[in-house]
C-alpha cells in the first residue's frame, strides 16, 4: 500500500512502533530510522534478541514479550523472515505490519490483511514520515542548504 492518504493516516494515528531487527549500532539504517521516529514523538520499542537496551529503551526478544499495546510492527528483517513476525504481530493485536525498503513478503502481508491489519511493503517509516509531515529538512533538503543549482560564487 503506497497511497499517500493511507500512509499519512497510518503515521498520524499510530504512535507506538515495535522495530523488529533494531540494531544498537548508530550507523545502521534501523537505528537511524528508529531514532528519527523517537525524536518526532513516537514510542519506539526495540525487538532484537541480541540486546537488552537500544536507544535508552528496554529491548525485547520477540513481539510476544512486549507488555504494552503495539500499533505498528516495523520489520528490518529479510523478506524470508517476515512470516513469523507477521504471525506474532497478529497474535499481539498490532494494527499495521510495515515492511521496510527492499522487504516484500506478499504472503505475510496478505495474512496480516486477512487478520484485519494494514500492511505496507517496501517503504521506510522515516522516509515516509519526512515526506508526508515535512521532516525532509531534517537532513538539509528543502532548506536551501542543498540545491541542484550551481552557486554563482563558486570558481568553476
Amino acid at each position: 500500500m503506497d497511497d499517500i492518504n493511507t500512509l499519512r493516516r497510518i503515521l498520524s494515528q499510530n504512535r507506538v512502533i515495535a522495530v523488529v531487527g533494531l540494531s544498537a549500532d548508530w550507523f545502521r539504517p534501523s537505528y537511524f530510522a528508529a531514532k528519527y521516529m523517537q525524536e518526532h514523538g513516537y514510542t519506539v520499542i526495540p525487538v532484537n534478541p541480541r540486546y537488552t537496551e537500544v536507544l535508552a529503551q528496554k529491548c525485547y526478544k520477540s513481539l510476544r514479550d512486549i507488555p504494552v499495546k503495539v500499533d505498528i510492527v516495523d520489520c528490518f528483517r529479510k523478506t524470508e523472515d517476515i512470516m513469523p513476525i507477521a504471525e506474532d504481530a497478529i497474535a499481539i493485536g498490532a494494527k499495521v505490519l510495515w515492511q521496510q525498503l527492499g522487504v516484500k513478503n506478499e504472503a505475510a502481508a496478505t495474512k496480516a490483511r486477512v487478520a484485519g491489519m494494514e500492511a505496507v511493503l517496501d517503504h521506510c517509516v522515516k522516509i515516509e514520515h519526512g515526506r508526508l509531515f515535512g521532516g525532509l529538512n531534517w537532513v538539509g533538503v528543502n532548506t536551501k542548504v542543498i540545491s541542484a543549482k550551481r552557486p554563482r560564487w563558486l570558481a568553476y
Side-chain angles (χ1 to χ4, degrees):
M1 158 181 334
D2 56 3
D3 170 25
I4 289 175
N5 291 327
T6 302
L7 293 174
R8 182 177 283 123
R9 180 184 48 75
I10 287 170
L11 291 173
S12 64
Q13 293 178 355
N14 299 287
R15 307 299 292 180
V16 179
I17 305 172
V19 183
V20 179
L22 177 55
S23 174
D25 295 329
W26 66 268
F27 53 85
R28 301 291 300 165
S30 61
Y31 185 93
F32 190 73
K35 185 171 175 25
Y36 171 90
M37 296 307 284
Q38 197 178 49
E39 290 173 351
H40 284 81
Y42 291 80
T43 300
V44 172
I45 302 170
V47 179
N48 191 326
R50 295 177 52 201
Y51 305 109
T52 57
E53 186 177 288
V54 180
L55 288 169
Q57 302 296 314
K58 178 178 168 58
C59 191
Y60 295 91
K61 293 184 185 297
S62 78
L63 288 171
R64 294 178 191 246
D65 295 335
I66 299 172
V68 297
K69 181 85 171 114
V70 171
D71 297 323
I72 300 173
V73 174
D74 186 12
C75 305
F76 276 92
R77 301 290 300 144
K78 295 177 186 171
T79 299
E80 56 269 16
D81 296 340
I82 299 300
M83 185 58 81
I85 296 168
E87 291 166 352
D88 286 351
I90 293 165
I92 67 168
K95 298 176 187 174
V96 182
L97 178 68
W98 191 299
Q99 299 178 48
Q100 276 292 331
L101 286 173
V103 183
K104 302 176 203 172
N105 190 319
E106 290 288 348
T110 300
K111 188 167 194 164
R113 288 185 187 113
V114 167
M117 295 175 66
E118 293 187 273
V120 179
L121 287 78
D122 195 28
H123 284 277
C124 175
V125 171
K126 182 230 172 283
I127 291 171
E128 294 305 326
H129 184 275
R131 179 172 75 102
L132 299 173
F133 297 98
L136 287 179
N137 62 359
W138 190 69
V139 291
V141 178
N142 203 20
T143 60
K144 298 185 180 158
V145 174
I146 297 175
S147 174
K149 294 181 181 178
R150 181 175 291 171
R152 291 184 172 187
W153 52 268
L154 292 178
Y156 55 86

